[in-house]
Amino acid sequence: MPEAARKALQPQVTPNRNPIPQERPIPAPKRRTLTLFESILYPVMIGSVVMFGGITVSKHNEAYNIMRDTAAVNQQVNGVAKENEELKYEIAQLSSPERIYAIAEKLGMKFNEKNVKVID
Protein backbone atom coordinates (compact mmCIF):
# COMPACT_ATOMS: atom_id res chain seq x y z
CA MET A 1 0.00 0.00 0.00
CA PRO A 2 1.23 3.32 -0.86
CA GLU A 3 1.85 5.79 1.82
CA ALA A 4 -0.88 8.16 0.71
CA ALA A 5 -3.46 5.43 0.94
CA ARG A 6 -2.27 4.47 4.37
CA LYS A 7 -2.65 8.04 5.58
CA ALA A 8 -6.16 8.15 4.14
CA LEU A 9 -7.17 5.08 6.15
CA GLN A 10 -5.74 6.35 9.39
CA PRO A 11 -8.11 8.50 11.39
CA GLN A 12 -7.23 12.11 11.57
CA VAL A 13 -6.46 13.21 15.11
CA THR A 14 -7.09 16.82 15.69
CA PRO A 15 -5.53 18.44 18.69
CA ASN A 16 -8.18 19.06 21.32
CA ARG A 17 -8.09 22.50 22.73
CA ASN A 18 -9.88 21.38 25.90
CA PRO A 19 -8.03 18.29 27.02
CA ILE A 20 -9.91 15.89 29.29
CA PRO A 21 -8.68 16.46 32.77
CA GLN A 22 -7.14 13.35 34.14
CA GLU A 23 -8.61 12.11 37.37
CA ARG A 24 -6.43 12.75 40.34
CA PRO A 25 -6.00 9.85 42.71
CA ILE A 26 -8.16 10.24 45.82
CA PRO A 27 -5.85 10.87 48.69
CA ALA A 28 -6.23 8.63 51.71
CA PRO A 29 -8.07 10.43 54.50
CA LYS A 30 -5.83 11.86 57.11
CA ARG A 31 -5.80 9.87 60.27
CA ARG A 32 -7.61 11.86 62.91
CA THR A 33 -5.72 12.24 66.14
CA LEU A 34 -7.39 12.67 69.50
CA THR A 35 -7.47 16.05 71.09
CA LEU A 36 -6.20 16.54 74.60
CA PHE A 37 -9.78 16.71 75.91
CA GLU A 38 -10.73 13.44 74.19
CA SER A 39 -7.58 11.67 75.32
CA ILE A 40 -8.51 12.54 78.91
CA LEU A 41 -12.27 12.05 78.57
CA TYR A 42 -12.28 8.51 77.15
CA PRO A 43 -10.19 6.86 79.90
CA VAL A 44 -12.15 8.77 82.56
CA MET A 45 -15.44 7.52 81.11
CA ILE A 46 -14.22 3.94 80.87
CA GLY A 47 -12.79 4.11 84.38
CA SER A 48 -16.04 5.50 85.79
CA VAL A 49 -18.10 2.75 84.15
CA VAL A 50 -15.76 0.10 85.57
CA MET A 51 -15.78 1.78 88.98
CA PHE A 52 -19.59 2.04 89.16
CA GLY A 53 -19.87 -1.57 88.04
CA GLY A 54 -17.50 -2.61 90.80
CA ILE A 55 -19.41 -0.58 93.35
CA THR A 56 -22.68 -2.15 92.23
CA VAL A 57 -21.28 -5.67 92.55
CA SER A 58 -19.77 -4.80 95.92
CA LYS A 59 -23.05 -3.42 97.29
CA HIS A 60 -24.97 -6.43 95.99
CA ASN A 61 -22.49 -8.72 97.73
CA GLU A 62 -22.79 -6.70 100.93
CA ALA A 63 -26.60 -6.90 100.81
CA TYR A 64 -26.39 -10.66 100.25
CA ASN A 65 -24.08 -11.05 103.29
CA ILE A 66 -26.43 -8.99 105.46
CA MET A 67 -29.43 -11.07 104.37
CA ARG A 68 -27.49 -14.28 105.08
CA ASP A 69 -26.53 -13.04 108.57
CA THR A 70 -30.12 -11.93 109.23
CA ALA A 71 -31.41 -15.37 108.26
CA ALA A 72 -28.90 -17.00 110.62
CA VAL A 73 -29.96 -14.72 113.50
CA ASN A 74 -33.64 -15.40 112.78
CA GLN A 75 -32.93 -19.12 112.87
CA GLN A 76 -31.26 -18.73 116.26
CA VAL A 77 -34.18 -16.63 117.53
CA ASN A 78 -36.64 -19.30 116.39
CA GLY A 79 -34.56 -21.99 118.13
CA VAL A 80 -34.47 -20.02 121.39
CA ALA A 81 -38.21 -19.30 121.16
CA LYS A 82 -38.91 -23.02 120.71
CA GLU A 83 -36.69 -23.84 123.67
CA ASN A 84 -38.51 -21.22 125.77
CA GLU A 85 -41.87 -22.77 124.92
CA GLU A 86 -40.58 -26.22 125.91
CA LEU A 87 -39.25 -24.81 129.20
CA LYS A 88 -42.57 -23.07 129.95
CA TYR A 89 -44.37 -26.34 129.39
CA GLU A 90 -41.92 -28.12 131.70
CA ILE A 91 -42.38 -25.44 134.37
CA ALA A 92 -46.15 -25.85 134.12
CA GLN A 93 -45.82 -29.62 134.59
CA LEU A 94 -43.37 -29.35 137.49
CA SER A 95 -45.38 -26.71 139.35
CA SER A 96 -48.73 -28.47 139.10
CA PRO A 97 -50.50 -28.79 142.48
CA GLU A 98 -50.99 -32.53 142.07
CA ARG A 99 -47.27 -33.10 141.70
CA ILE A 100 -46.48 -30.91 144.69
CA TYR A 101 -49.04 -32.80 146.86
CA ALA A 102 -47.58 -36.15 145.75
CA ILE A 103 -44.03 -35.10 146.67
CA ALA A 104 -45.22 -33.69 150.03
CA GLU A 105 -46.97 -36.96 150.90
CA LYS A 106 -43.80 -38.92 150.04
CA LEU A 107 -41.89 -36.71 152.45
CA GLY A 108 -44.42 -37.39 155.20
CA MET A 109 -46.20 -34.07 155.13
CA LYS A 110 -49.94 -33.88 155.60
CA PHE A 111 -52.38 -31.33 154.33
CA ASN A 112 -53.95 -29.38 157.19
CA GLU A 113 -56.55 -26.84 156.19
CA LYS A 114 -56.07 -24.93 159.44
CA ASN A 115 -52.51 -24.01 158.49
CA VAL A 116 -53.38 -22.92 154.95
CA LYS A 117 -53.95 -19.24 154.31
CA VAL A 118 -55.54 -18.10 151.05
CA ILE A 119 -54.12 -14.91 149.69
CA ASP A 120 -56.03 -13.04 147.03
Side-chain angles (χ1 to χ4, degrees):
M1 259 178 104
E3 197 172 308
R6 214 185 305 156
K7 282 186 180 182
L9 290 177
Q10 286 183 353
Q12 294 280 337
V13 179
T14 59
N16 193 356
R17 293 184 183 162
N18 295 327
I20 299 173
Q22 294 185 0
E23 293 182 24
R24 293 186 209 164
I26 299 173
K30 291 184 179 178
R31 188 167 181 175
R32 186 174 170 268
T33 58
L34 297 176
T35 64
L36 176 64
F37 176 72
E38 290 172 334
S39 63
I40 293 173
L41 178 68
Y42 293 148
V44 168
M45 288 175 60
I46 292 170
S48 63
V49 168
V50 169
M51 182 181 70
F52 287 126
I55 289 172
T56 302
V57 169
S58 171
K59 292 299 179 182
H60 180 72
N61 189 29
E62 187 176 330
Y64 174 77
N65 289 339
I66 289 172
M67 288 183 352
R68 186 188 65 217
D69 294 344
T70 303
V73 168
N74 283 338
Q75 191 175 15
Q76 287 177 345
V77 167
N78 290 338
V80 170
K82 183 178 178 184
E83 185 180 345
N84 283 345
E85 289 297 320
E86 291 172 359
L87 291 174
K88 284 180 184 179
Y89 179 72
E90 188 177 345
I91 288 172
Q93 284 182 338
L94 293 176
S95 64
S96 68
E98 293 85 22
R99 181 178 172 276
I100 294 174
Y101 289 139
I103 293 173
E105 284 181 2
K106 284 181 186 177
L107 295 175
M109 298 180 182
K110 294 186 180 181
F111 181 69
N112 188 354
E113 290 185 20
K114 294 179 185 176
N115 292 336
V116 176
K117 294 182 183 178
V118 179
I119 301 174
D120 291 327

